[in-house]
């Protein structure tokens, strides 16, 4: 069993790079088919989706654009009143076919917020893609169009995903070993 230490925690190898890459290829093939002629703009959500976006885009063969955004939350006087804002979107996405490129859908709240923010910019159509999906953690309805891999409700690191800022550089995906 391959184990890595990230900060104070240990993680075991659960998804090798080869498995991630072949799942991404399947999604890319579907996108090339579904989105042909739509001139889509892919919107990758930083930081977590940087590796997924990179490997996905290498297999997209139709004309397209890619842009990168961050989702920032500002807390008002009450922490429950978090206001989210999209940072870095410097292209006009109105009347465009937009494809979200996310690392993981856990509770689904981040994806739900993204959908709301993107819809408010009058996109023509919105497709949602995620590298990883934890169906058992979902707390709100999100309609995902492309899921590379479904995973159990465990904490993972690697391939862009972090534990307290660390571990994003790992080429495989590792699952937290409970203490
Ligand atoms: P949400 O709960 O679906 O809103 O996910 C929020 C964010 O939490 C994701 O975009 C990830 O950045 C992060 N996240 C969720 N699950 C994991 C995990 O297992 N490891 C690392 N980050 C995670
Ligand atoms: Mg994320």
């Amino acid at each position: 069993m391959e184990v890595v230490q990230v900060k104070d925690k240990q993680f075991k190898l659960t998804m090798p790079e080869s498995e991630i890459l072949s799942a991404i290829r399947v999604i890319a093939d579907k996108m090339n088919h579904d989105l042909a002629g739509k001139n889509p703009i892919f919107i990758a959500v930083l930081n977590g989706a940087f590796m997924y976006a990179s490997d996905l885009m290498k297999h997209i063969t139709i004309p397209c654009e890619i842009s990168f955004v961050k989702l920032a939350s500002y807390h008002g006087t009450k922490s429950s009143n978090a206001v989210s804002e999209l940072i870095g979107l410097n292209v006009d996405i109105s009347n465009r076919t937009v494809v979200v490129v996310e690392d993981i859908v856990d509770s689904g709240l981040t994806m739900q917020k993204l959908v709301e923010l993107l819809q408010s910019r009058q996109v023509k159509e919105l497709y949602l893609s995620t590298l990883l999906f934890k169906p058992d953690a979902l707390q709100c309805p999100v309609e995902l169009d492309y899921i590379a891999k479904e995973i159990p409700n465990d904490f993972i690191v690697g391939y862009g995903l972090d534990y307290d800022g660390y571990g994003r550089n790992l080429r495989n995906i590792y699952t937290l070993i409970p203490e």
Side-chain angles (χ1 to χ4, degrees), residues 14-28 30 52 102-106 128-136 144-154 156 159 161 173:
T14 45
M15 202 184 292
E17 182 185 31
S18 57
E19 195 180 321
I20 302 168
L21 294 180
S22 47
I24 290 174
R25 279 201 88 122
V26 173
I27 281 196
K30 283 196 192 125
Y52 169 42
E102 251 289 31
D103 54 356
I104 189 165
V105 174
D106 186 76
L128 305 182
S129 93
T130 186
L131 175 71
L132 302 164
F133 176 46
K134 294 181 181 173
D136 298 337
L144 301 169
D145 299 284
Y146 305 99
I147 300 165
K149 283 276 181 190
E150 291 197 1
I151 57 168
N153 193 7
D154 300 317
I156 53 148
Y159 199 76
L161 288 116
I173 288 174

Side-chain angles (χ1 to χ4, degrees), residues 62-138:
I62 57 173
C64 64
E65 291 180 78
I66 181 160
S67 192
F68 299 86
V69 298
K70 274 198 176 195
L71 202 57
S73 301
Y74 300 97
H75 295 281
T77 45
K78 288 180 192 157
S79 64
S80 55
N81 288 346
V83 181
S84 297
E85 193 193 326
L86 271 186
I87 302 182
L89 190 60
N90 51 7
V91 260
D92 182 12
I93 57 167
S94 62
N95 211 29
R96 293 288 301 272
T97 294
V98 172
V99 186
V100 171
V101 179
E102 251 289 31
D103 54 356
I104 189 165
V105 174
D106 186 76
S107 70
L109 295 168
T110 305
M111 190 59 109
Q112 194 181 48
K113 183 53 75 178
L114 260 172
V115 168
E116 198 182 303
L117 291 167
L118 292 168
Q119 293 286 19
S120 74
R121 297 189 185 221
Q122 282 79 46
V123 299
K124 185 196 275 175
E125 48 179 354
L126 192 55
Y127 291 85
L128 305 182
S129 93
T130 186
L131 175 71
L132 302 164
F133 176 46
K134 294 181 181 173
D136 298 337
L138 197 64

